[in-house]
Amino acid sequence: MEHLRIKNAQDHKVISIKDIGLHSGELDFTNIKCPEHATQSCCLFCKICDSLVCPTCVSKVHKKHANDLIEISEAYHMKKERLKNGQSKIQMEEKNAVTKKEQLVKRKDAEKAKHSKVIQDILNHEKVLKSDIDKYIEELKDEVDENLKTIFKSIDTDLSIVSKSMKYSNEKNTEVEDLIKSTDVANFFSDVKRLEKSMEVPVLKTQSSYNTIPKFVPGR
């Protein structure tokens, strides 16, 4: 019969109380209390159940999972690697959002420049015409202004979507980064299980094209 890999005291590293603090870079995987059995410490990680287990858990629930029980440190590094992979996706979406924002801002600037030019063309044309077309000129300017408002509204809607995506990506990235740097192993596995379910960043859904300010063509 195959024996389960359960750590005992001989696997523990004993250090002097005076040396505590010198080992801050080392993670302690030996003192994680079992949430199901208060007097027991977790000794292994069950890949099937995605949870830490103590000797009592193994004997009562995980007997048939012997081939899927791994060291806590191995599970920790496995989970940490998954976090890093998820973080890479988050950072890529954040990068895409930044690029999209830059494109939208440039588009606004271009439209503003076009708007200024068209308004100037209209004003120049106004000087050529007689006073009886003043009303007509104002109507043209209002129409161009309304066009710009409509275009800006469309672009601003997408800018809002992009900004929310950037904020969400940044928050998730920070949350993942904090968890990666965490040395609180006792809470690590419960936190990472929760975070793994929410690391996906929604794909940006913005318009593929936008209306533009029409050219002004002088006429009667």
Side-chain angles (χ1 to χ4, degrees), residues 61 109 116 140 157 166 197:
V61 180
D109 291 340
S116 297
L140 287 177
T157 297
M166 290 173 62
K197 298 178 181 179

Short mmCIF file of all heavy atoms in Angstrom, two decimals, residues 61 109 116 140 157 166 197:
data_model
loop_
_atom_site.label_atom_id
_atom_site.label_comp_id
_atom_site.label_asym_id
_atom_site.label_seq_id
_atom_site.Cartn_x
_atom_site.Cartn_y
_atom_site.Cartn_z
N VAL A 61 -11.22 12.09 4.08
CA VAL A 61 -11.83 12.55 2.83
C VAL A 61 -10.97 12.26 1.61
O VAL A 61 -11.46 11.94 0.53
CB VAL A 61 -12.13 14.07 2.90
CG1 VAL A 61 -12.77 14.54 1.59
CG2 VAL A 61 -13.03 14.38 4.08
N ASP A 109 -8.41 65.44 -30.80
CA ASP A 109 -7.59 66.59 -31.19
C ASP A 109 -7.73 66.86 -32.69
O ASP A 109 -7.82 68.03 -33.12
CB ASP A 109 -6.12 66.34 -30.84
CG ASP A 109 -5.87 66.35 -29.35
OD1 ASP A 109 -6.72 66.90 -28.62
OD2 ASP A 109 -4.84 65.80 -28.91
N SER A 116 -12.11 73.62 -36.05
CA SER A 116 -11.61 74.99 -36.09
C SER A 116 -11.43 75.48 -37.53
O SER A 116 -11.76 76.62 -37.87
CB SER A 116 -10.27 75.08 -35.35
OG SER A 116 -10.43 74.76 -33.98
N LEU A 140 -25.21 77.38 -40.31
CA LEU A 140 -24.13 76.47 -40.69
C LEU A 140 -23.20 76.20 -39.50
O LEU A 140 -22.80 75.06 -39.25
CB LEU A 140 -23.31 77.05 -41.86
CG LEU A 140 -23.96 77.04 -43.23
CD1 LEU A 140 -23.04 77.70 -44.25
CD2 LEU A 140 -24.29 75.62 -43.67
N THR A 157 -17.92 58.42 -25.00
CA THR A 157 -18.52 57.18 -24.50
C THR A 157 -17.48 56.07 -24.48
O THR A 157 -17.34 55.33 -23.50
CB THR A 157 -19.71 56.75 -25.40
OG1 THR A 157 -20.73 57.74 -25.33
CG2 THR A 157 -20.28 55.42 -24.92
N MET A 166 -9.25 50.40 -17.83
CA MET A 166 -7.92 50.67 -17.27
C MET A 166 -7.96 50.63 -15.75
O MET A 166 -7.06 50.07 -15.11
CB MET A 166 -7.43 52.04 -17.76
CG MET A 166 -7.09 52.09 -19.24
SD MET A 166 -6.71 53.78 -19.79
CE MET A 166 -5.27 54.13 -18.78
N LYS A 197 -10.84 33.37 -9.73
CA LYS A 197 -12.15 33.40 -10.37
C LYS A 197 -12.49 34.76 -10.97
O LYS A 197 -13.47 34.91 -11.68
CB LYS A 197 -13.23 33.01 -9.36
CG LYS A 197 -13.07 31.59 -8.83
CD LYS A 197 -14.13 31.28 -7.78
CE LYS A 197 -13.96 29.86 -7.23
NZ LYS A 197 -14.98 29.56 -6.18
#
